[in-house]
Amino acid sequence: MLRPWDIKFSFEGNNAKTLHSKLLNCLISDIKRGRLLPGSMLPGTRTLAKQLNINRKTVQYVYEELEVQGWLKSKVRRGTFVAESLPEQTLSDADSKLVSSTVKTKAPSDLTEELYIEALAQASCITTTNDGTPDARLIPYELLARTYRRICVNLSRRSKLGYGDPRGALELRMSLQKMVSSDRYINCSEQEICIVRGSQMGIYLASRVLDPTNGAIVMEELCYAPAQATFEANGFKVLKCKLDKDGLNIEHLQKLIRDNKVAGIYVTPHHQYPTTVCLPMERRLALLRLSKCHHLTVIEDDYDHEFHYETNPIPPLASLPNSENVVHIGSMSKVFAPGLRLGYIVCSTELIQRAAQEIVLIDRQGNTITEHVVSDLMETGEVKRHIRKVRREYRQRRDHTVNEFSRIFGSKVSFDIPTGGLAIWVDISKMTKGKDLSNFKSNDSILSTFFNNAQQTPTHIRFGFGSIDKTEITHSIQSLYATLVDEK
């Protein structure tokens, strides 16, 4: 017998304010102290709800939440069990504290599915880097879980879970082809698309298919550091091009090309990283003319194209005239969460084939199930609906960030309101002049990263508002203000 004795639970001595939190506390506590052993079976939701005299949905939501966190595991037609490998045995100390903090989640006993997801989101982690990452708490958990289960069953029945195309599932490439064609004006076929594990892998593959003996890579003066490290690790010399209020300085780029042997140019034109500036159309066209004239590859990192708030975004480089040499890199991870690890490359068939050869050497192929799940969600319109939903939320967070910086800092800082993206570029030079913050380390996980050229006195910060809600935004800005005022 799996359960020879009925397990009894009690809320006595539990100080949580809601039934949801009481049950959450109770189960985690019993697992931690060994009363519920790994592998042991829990009562059914109906049985436990009757025992505790609470709503069955409350039990269901708690079970699902603990399964997401790794404490429980459900088995089809068998029941719910304590996980064999518990979270605290596999996580770092910092992450274990983060998981434990979910005990404090508050939710009403008659929690609806929408409110449950919101409550679960409050228990999720706040990113340790705050430079413009999305909020994993906004993921449509229930929809993803249902789709994963259905897709997994279908693929298994059709024997489609073996080795596949290193370029990625054809279904997802076809879905992406429809998206980039209709939404981004990029004319391509599914043969010119390769699925990767996030935009960083796309950057890595771009650095691998290019030849460092053909010349250096030009990058923006302030740029995405992991991208620079990737090109340097693959043998490229990196040249820095100046930036101004409109982004990449084309005149300086022309000088670099004239004075050096250049193989390619890496840019973030939609929202320049880290300054958030959108590269104007005339500069995009000038960049592409230079690319065609000098046979230069342009690596376009379009990492957050979906998030625009004021007007429709300028079309990507890959959709414009003279874009034959463009490698367009996009990410679905920003749409959902970084943990999804799903991106794509759009470029010539020749480069796609070379990228596929690199994938075979390091990864063989991507995650077939995830690729089919995302394709299904794209085809049913769920991805588009989710983008519209989170875009509204992120716009509200942007506006709140702007208001709070103005309220808390007043005229001590300056910034331009970004038209899109998940971060704001703030000039703090008035407050840091004469101060040495080069060794400053913050204990506040949502305090923004400092930027400066000389690595001495910081002049700007890239404040990410995407991964934190309005309350956390206010707290972060207040902490930043206290830091800049008190630091000597």
Side-chain angles (χ1 to χ4, degrees), residues 31-50:
I31 293 173
K32 282 184 174 181
R33 61 193 179 94
R35 180 170 181 252
L36 296 177
L37 297 174
S40 59
M41 185 178 183
L42 292 180
T45 55
R46 195 185 306 276
T47 300
L48 185 55
K50 184 177 181 180

Side-chain angles (χ1 to χ4, degrees), residues 17 141 229 239 253 263 270 319 335 377 458 483:
K17 295 182 180 180
Y141 295 101
L239 304 175
L253 175 61
H270 188 47
S319 69
V335 173
L377 294 175
T483 297

Side-chain angles (χ1 to χ4, degrees), residues 14 16 20-33 65-66 68-71 86-106 119-120 122-126:
N14 194 321
H20 177 276
S21 297
K22 286 178 184 289
L23 181 56
L24 198 70
N25 286 356
C26 178
L27 293 176
I28 292 180
S29 175
D30 283 348
I31 293 173
K32 282 184 174 181
R33 61 193 179 94
E65 183 170 342
L66 291 178
V68 169
Q69 296 174 20
W71 295 100
L86 300 178
E88 290 188 323
Q89 298 176 1
T90 58
L91 296 177
S92 64
D93 291 341
D95 287 341
S96 296
K97 292 178 182 178
L98 205 54
V99 171
S100 298
S101 69
T102 60
V103 175
K104 301 177 182 178
T105 301
K106 299 178 180 180
L120 177 57
Q122 295 298 329
S124 302
C125 68
I126 298 173

Side-chain angles (χ1 to χ4, degrees), residues 63-212:
Y63 276 14
E64 291 169 0
E65 183 170 342
L66 291 178
E67 185 173 0
V68 169
Q69 296 174 20
W71 295 100
L72 303 181
K73 183 175 180 62
S74 63
K75 299 180 181 180
V76 180
R77 292 188 293 273
R78 292 188 62 194
T80 302
F81 300 78
V82 178
E84 295 288 352
S85 179
L86 300 178
E88 290 188 323
Q89 298 176 1
T90 58
L91 296 177
S92 64
D93 291 341
D95 287 341
S96 296
K97 292 178 182 178
L98 205 54
V99 171
S100 298
S101 69
T102 60
V103 175
K104 301 177 182 178
T105 301
K106 299 178 180 180
S109 58
D110 59 343
L111 210 57
T112 64
E113 178 175 332
E114 182 178 356
L115 289 176
Y116 161 65
I117 294 174
E118 181 180 349
L120 177 57
Q122 295 298 329
S124 302
C125 68
I126 298 173
T127 53
T128 55
T129 57
N130 182 31
D131 66 348
T133 53
D135 193 341
R137 297 171 292 187
L138 299 178
I139 289 178
Y141 295 101
E142 294 295 315
L143 175 63
L144 275 176
R146 290 195 302 269
T147 309
Y148 262 100
R149 183 184 184 281
R150 175 168 53 81
I151 293 297
C152 189
V153 170
N154 289 342
L155 291 176
S156 179
R157 287 174 176 172
R158 293 159 50 204
S159 299
K160 295 289 187 179
L161 288 176
Y163 289 118
D165 194 323
R167 295 172 299 176
L170 177 61
E171 290 81 355
L172 179 55
R173 288 188 283 132
M174 294 176 66
S175 297
L176 286 169
Q177 186 276 329
K178 295 176 188 176
M179 182 194 76
V180 299
S181 174
S182 60
D183 187 60
R184 305 190 188 185
Y185 315 101
I186 298 175
N187 184 23
C188 69
S189 71
E190 64 273 11
Q191 303 302 319
E192 296 171 299
I193 298 176
C194 182
I195 311 301
V196 294
R197 292 184 185 270
S199 57
Q200 181 61 35
M201 182 175 175
I203 296 169
Y204 175 83
L205 289 174
S207 72
R208 292 291 297 172
V209 300
L210 298 180
D211 187 352

Side-chain angles (χ1 to χ4, degrees), residues 28 362 375:
I28 292 180
I362 62 173
S375 175

Side-chain angles (χ1 to χ4, degrees), residues 205-251:
L205 289 174
S207 72
R208 292 291 297 172
V209 300
L210 298 180
D211 187 352
T213 63
N214 289 335
I217 292 292
V218 175
M219 302 186 72
E220 295 147 322
E221 187 175 27
L222 292 177
C223 64
Y224 184 53
Q228 179 176 343
T230 298
F231 286 111
E232 291 176 336
N234 283 296
F236 284 95
K237 177 183 178 182
V238 171
L239 304 175
K240 292 298 185 71
C241 183
K242 293 180 181 178
L243 294 168
D244 57 31
K245 64 181 181 63
D246 290 321
L248 190 74
N249 187 307
I250 298 298
E251 291 183 1

